[in-house]
Amino acid sequence: EMNPSHPQLLPTPTQPPPQNIFHPQRRKRIRDLLRHIPTFAFRFIRLMSFVCFLLPAFVVFVWHYLTCDRVAVYYGDLGDCYCDDDGGDCGSAENEVGSANDGKKRISKTSTGESKSCRKRRTPLLSRHYLDIYGSRTHFPRMNRTSPSPNSYSCKNSGCNNKGKKPVVIFLTGGAWIIGYRMWGTLLGRALAPFGILVIVPDYRNFPAVNISQMVDDVDKSIDWVFNNVEEYGGDKEKIILVGQSAG
């Protein structure tokens, strides 16, 4: 009925609540999910079994990486050194205590002849600008004709030059430019180091932290470091071979 005081107000008809048109689809999705649970469970168990079977080999791999003849060296830029007060130059240091990368003191002289205590900047602990050197501390006795040993290699047979320097292999690991790491080159270092070969495995940054051009810059910087410093670790800079695997 019309309200005589407010004729424009009409009674609102009662409508039934809207039905959920997606209810059948939800039920179908739930049935599909329940039907595939056995398949998901089987694949998960198969994956875990695969991991368990390979775990002993991974443990040996990590143990060898931590205990073998390996030296980790920083090849990135440390920048200029800093002194206790103004003046002094790291490049003109006359006396050094410790290595150049450990942040220890250096004694430097200013232009006036005054001695300053300077320090080299410390290497960043979590940087990807490290490389592993395999075989720098391995001793190779010359083979004896009367009692040859299959585990002993002469410098002549292993390719060393007259000065006892070892040939060098630079190995760039793969990893789809995403999961690459210098640790993946451990098995190659283990295989070649007994033959008097110095194996160097540089690390480089991955995507998405950097792009391809920056990865190439990291590799170029590491190779430049090898040519400038490999002789300090017993390598021959005249005999360097570059090897890459997959993305490397």
Side-chain angles (χ1 to χ4, degrees):
E1 297 179 354
M2 298 283 294
N3 190 336
S5 60
H6 299 283
Q8 71 277 12
L9 296 179
L10 298 177
T12 304
T14 303
Q15 298 180 357
Q19 296 181 354
N20 191 348
I21 62 175
F22 297 103
H23 186 63
Q25 287 82 352
R26 286 207 307 265
R27 294 180 59 183
K28 182 177 183 301
R29 291 174 182 174
I30 293 175
R31 288 197 302 267
D32 292 342
L33 180 62
L34 294 177
R35 187 171 67 251
H36 287 90
I37 284 180
T39 303
F40 294 153
F42 171 75
R43 293 180 177 179
F44 178 78
I45 294 175
R46 185 176 63 178
L47 177 62
M48 291 298 99
S49 301
F50 180 75
V51 172
C52 292
F53 289 142
L54 291 182
L55 186 60
F58 281 123
V59 171
V60 174
F61 176 79
V62 174
W63 174 256
H64 176 74
Y65 178 76
L66 297 176
T67 59
C68 67
D69 178 9
R70 178 183 63 89
V71 179
V73 182
Y74 183 76
Y75 68 83
D77 295 328
L78 290 177
D80 298 331
C81 67
Y82 62 94
C83 299
D84 294 340
D85 50 4
D86 294 337
D89 179 16
C90 263
S92 62
E94 292 186 353
N95 186 21
E96 179 181 352
V97 181
S99 65
N101 294 337
D102 58 6
K104 294 186 178 181
K105 288 187 177 181
R106 306 168 68 109
I107 305 301
S108 179
K109 287 188 176 183
T110 64
S111 58
T112 60
E114 181 182 0
S115 296
K116 299 289 184 179
S117 178
C118 300
R119 293 177 183 270
K120 195 73 174 178
R121 297 189 186 277
R122 294 183 180 276
T123 56
L125 181 62
L126 301 179
S127 173
R128 297 297 299 270
H129 293 154
Y130 279 89
L131 52 81
D132 289 334
I133 303 176
Y134 296 88
S136 62
R137 298 178 301 219
T138 303
H139 177 64
F140 305 95
R142 293 185 178 275
M143 295 183 63
N144 191 342
R145 293 183 179 180
T146 58
S147 58
S149 173
N151 297 325
S152 300
Y153 303 92
S154 65
C155 258
K156 181 178 180 180
N157 294 333
S158 61
C160 297
N161 58 22
N162 295 330
K163 297 181 180 179
K165 296 179 181 179
K166 306 173 184 177
V168 180
V169 171
I170 302 176
F171 179 62
L172 302 177
T173 61
W177 298 300
I178 298 175
I179 58 173
Y181 189 58
R182 67 182 192 271
M183 184 180 180
W184 309 155
T186 300
L187 296 181
L188 182 66
R190 181 181 183 182
L192 297 183
F195 292 92
I197 300 175
L198 201 67
V199 180
I200 300 179
V201 185
D203 200 5
Y204 55 90
R205 294 171 291 176
N206 294 150
F207 181 84
V210 296
N211 55 29
I212 296 296
S213 62
Q214 292 170 304
M215 298 180 199
V216 173
D217 291 339
D218 290 349
V219 172
D220 182 69
K221 186 181 297 183
S222 66
I223 295 175
D224 185 65
W225 184 96
V226 172
F227 275 94
N228 294 330
N229 300 276
V230 71
E231 291 188 347
E232 299 179 9
Y233 297 88
D236 185 1
K237 66 179 182 180
E238 301 296 332
K239 293 183 178 180
I240 297 179
I241 298 177
L242 183 62
V243 181
Q245 177 264 332
S246 189

